[in-house]
Amino acid sequence: QLQLVESGGGLVQSGESLRLSCVEHGYLLDYYAIGWFRQAPGKEREGISCINTNDESTYYADSVKGRFTISRDDAKKTVYLQMNNLKAEDTAVYYCATDQQWFSAQESCTKTAHYDNKFWGQGTQVTVSS
Protein backbone atom coordinates (compact mmCIF):
# COMPACT_ATOMS: atom_id res chain seq x y z
CA GLN A 1 0.00 0.00 0.00
CA LEU A 2 1.44 3.33 -1.05
CA GLN A 3 1.70 6.08 1.56
CA LEU A 4 2.94 9.62 1.04
CA VAL A 5 4.20 11.57 4.05
CA GLU A 6 4.82 15.31 3.82
CA SER A 7 6.95 17.40 6.14
CA GLY A 8 8.65 20.78 6.26
CA GLY A 9 5.73 23.13 6.67
CA GLY A 10 5.70 25.89 9.24
CA LEU A 11 5.25 29.55 10.01
CA VAL A 12 7.55 31.99 8.22
CA GLN A 13 7.62 35.66 7.36
CA SER A 14 7.10 37.07 3.90
CA GLY A 15 10.25 36.74 1.78
CA GLU A 16 11.58 33.72 3.64
CA SER A 17 12.01 30.17 2.35
CA LEU A 18 10.85 26.66 3.19
CA ARG A 19 11.57 23.24 1.74
CA LEU A 20 8.82 20.66 1.77
CA SER A 21 9.58 16.95 1.54
CA CYS A 22 7.33 14.08 0.50
CA VAL A 23 8.56 10.59 1.31
CA GLU A 24 7.03 7.68 -0.58
CA HIS A 25 6.41 4.56 1.48
CA GLY A 26 5.49 1.42 -0.40
CA TYR A 27 5.53 0.65 -4.09
CA LEU A 28 5.49 3.61 -6.46
CA LEU A 29 5.94 3.38 -10.18
CA ASP A 30 8.52 6.05 -10.89
CA TYR A 31 7.21 6.76 -14.34
CA TYR A 32 4.04 8.25 -12.93
CA ALA A 33 3.96 11.96 -12.23
CA ILE A 34 4.03 13.26 -8.69
CA GLY A 35 3.50 16.75 -7.47
CA TRP A 36 2.54 19.36 -4.96
CA PHE A 37 -0.92 20.76 -4.50
CA ARG A 38 -2.28 23.30 -2.08
CA GLN A 39 -5.58 24.35 -0.64
CA ALA A 40 -6.20 27.65 1.07
CA PRO A 41 -9.28 28.22 3.26
CA GLY A 42 -12.35 28.71 1.12
CA LYS A 43 -10.54 27.89 -2.11
CA GLU A 44 -10.32 24.91 -4.43
CA ARG A 45 -7.31 22.61 -4.29
CA GLU A 46 -4.82 23.58 -6.99
CA GLY A 47 -1.84 21.89 -8.54
CA ILE A 48 1.18 24.15 -8.17
CA SER A 49 4.09 22.01 -9.28
CA CYS A 50 4.40 18.52 -10.73
CA ILE A 51 7.21 16.40 -12.13
CA ASN A 52 7.43 13.36 -14.36
CA THR A 53 10.96 12.04 -14.51
CA ASN A 54 10.01 9.56 -17.23
CA ASP A 55 9.59 12.30 -19.82
CA GLU A 56 11.62 14.85 -17.85
CA SER A 57 8.68 17.23 -17.69
CA THR A 58 7.94 19.73 -14.96
CA TYR A 59 5.06 22.11 -14.47
CA TYR A 60 4.68 25.23 -12.37
CA ALA A 61 1.55 27.26 -11.85
CA ASP A 62 1.97 30.90 -12.79
CA SER A 63 1.53 31.90 -9.15
CA VAL A 64 4.73 30.10 -8.11
CA LYS A 65 6.82 30.16 -11.29
CA GLY A 66 10.29 31.54 -10.62
CA ARG A 67 9.95 31.13 -6.85
CA PHE A 68 9.33 27.39 -6.32
CA THR A 69 11.42 24.46 -7.55
CA ILE A 70 10.36 20.81 -7.59
CA SER A 71 12.85 17.97 -7.56
CA ARG A 72 12.79 14.23 -7.09
CA ASP A 73 15.38 11.91 -5.57
CA ASP A 74 14.38 8.41 -6.66
CA ALA A 75 17.07 6.78 -4.52
CA LYS A 76 15.57 8.40 -1.42
CA LYS A 77 12.01 8.03 -2.73
CA THR A 78 11.51 11.68 -1.89
CA VAL A 79 10.05 14.65 -3.74
CA TYR A 80 11.00 18.15 -2.65
CA LEU A 81 9.46 21.57 -3.12
CA GLN A 82 11.87 24.43 -2.51
CA MET A 83 9.83 27.55 -1.87
CA ASN A 84 11.62 30.88 -1.97
CA ASN A 85 10.38 34.44 -1.55
CA LEU A 86 7.21 33.24 0.14
CA LYS A 87 4.20 35.53 0.14
CA ALA A 88 1.14 35.74 2.36
CA GLU A 89 -0.97 34.35 -0.50
CA ASP A 90 1.10 31.13 -0.37
CA THR A 91 -0.54 30.30 2.97
CA ALA A 92 -2.31 26.95 2.57
CA VAL A 93 -2.19 23.27 3.38
CA TYR A 94 0.27 21.67 0.97
CA TYR A 95 -0.30 18.12 -0.24
CA CYS A 96 1.83 15.67 -2.13
CA ALA A 97 0.01 13.42 -4.59
CA THR A 98 0.78 10.92 -7.30
CA ASP A 99 -1.23 9.43 -10.13
CA GLN A 100 -2.39 5.90 -10.83
CA GLN A 101 -2.02 6.35 -14.59
CA TRP A 102 0.39 8.10 -16.88
CA PHE A 103 0.13 11.86 -17.22
CA SER A 104 2.63 14.50 -18.16
CA ALA A 105 3.62 16.84 -15.37
CA GLN A 106 1.25 19.54 -16.63
CA GLU A 107 -1.65 17.11 -16.97
CA SER A 108 -1.02 15.73 -13.50
CA CYS A 109 -1.28 19.20 -11.99
CA THR A 110 -4.10 20.62 -14.08
CA LYS A 111 -6.53 17.75 -14.80
CA THR A 112 -8.75 18.41 -11.79
CA ALA A 113 -11.25 15.74 -12.90
CA HIS A 114 -8.63 13.13 -11.95
CA TYR A 115 -7.78 14.49 -8.52
CA ASP A 116 -10.02 11.92 -6.83
CA ASN A 117 -7.98 9.13 -8.45
CA LYS A 118 -4.65 10.27 -7.01
CA PHE A 119 -2.89 8.95 -3.94
CA TRP A 120 -2.71 11.85 -1.45
CA GLY A 121 -0.56 12.59 1.56
CA GLN A 122 -2.01 14.01 4.76
CA GLY A 123 -0.81 17.55 4.09
CA THR A 124 1.45 20.03 5.84
CA GLN A 125 0.50 23.57 6.83
CA VAL A 126 2.43 26.53 5.45
CA THR A 127 1.66 29.92 6.95
CA VAL A 128 3.32 33.08 5.69
CA SER A 129 2.91 36.24 7.75
CA SER A 130 3.14 39.59 6.01
Side-chain angles (χ1 to χ4, degrees):
Q1 180 72 21
L2 177 65
Q3 187 179 17
L4 303 175
V5 180
E6 304 99 330
S7 62
L11 171 63
V12 297
Q13 293 189 336
S14 180
E16 293 185 339
S17 299
L18 281 174
R19 188 176 79 157
L20 304 183
S21 299
C22 171
V23 180
E24 308 154 14
H25 297 277
Y27 183 65
L28 174 65
L29 294 172
D30 61 7
Y31 54 80
Y32 286 166
I34 190 166
W36 290 94
F37 301 74
R38 69 185 182 188
Q39 188 165 20
K43 294 189 175 181
E44 297 289 322
R45 190 169 297 190
E46 62 169 335
I48 57 170
S49 185
C50 292
I51 185 168
N52 186 322
T53 53
N54 188 246
D55 69 355
E56 299 182 349
S57 63
T58 57
Y59 167 84
Y60 295 96
D62 288 343
S63 57
V64 305
K65 199 173 294 183
R67 300 188 296 123
F68 291 10
T69 303
I70 191 170
S71 60
R72 184 173 186 172
D73 186 333
D74 287 333
K76 294 183 177 180
K77 301 181 70 174
T78 302
V79 180
Y80 302 99
L81 185 68
Q82 178 66 44
M83 307 187 295
N84 297 329
N85 190 21
L86 283 160
K87 305 176 181 180
E89 51 264 42
D90 295 318
T91 295
V93 178
Y94 284 68
Y95 299 89
C96 175
T98 188
D99 294 298
Q100 299 189 65
Q101 63 187 93
W102 197 93
F103 289 122
S104 70
Q106 180 172 351
E107 291 170 333
S108 182
C109 264
T110 60
K111 284 186 176 290
T112 57
H114 292 272
Y115 278 14
D116 286 345
N117 296 327
K118 294 180 180 291
F119 282 113
W120 292 92
Q122 84 288 350
T124 185
Q125 176 71 45
V126 172
T127 303
V128 185
S129 63
S130 57

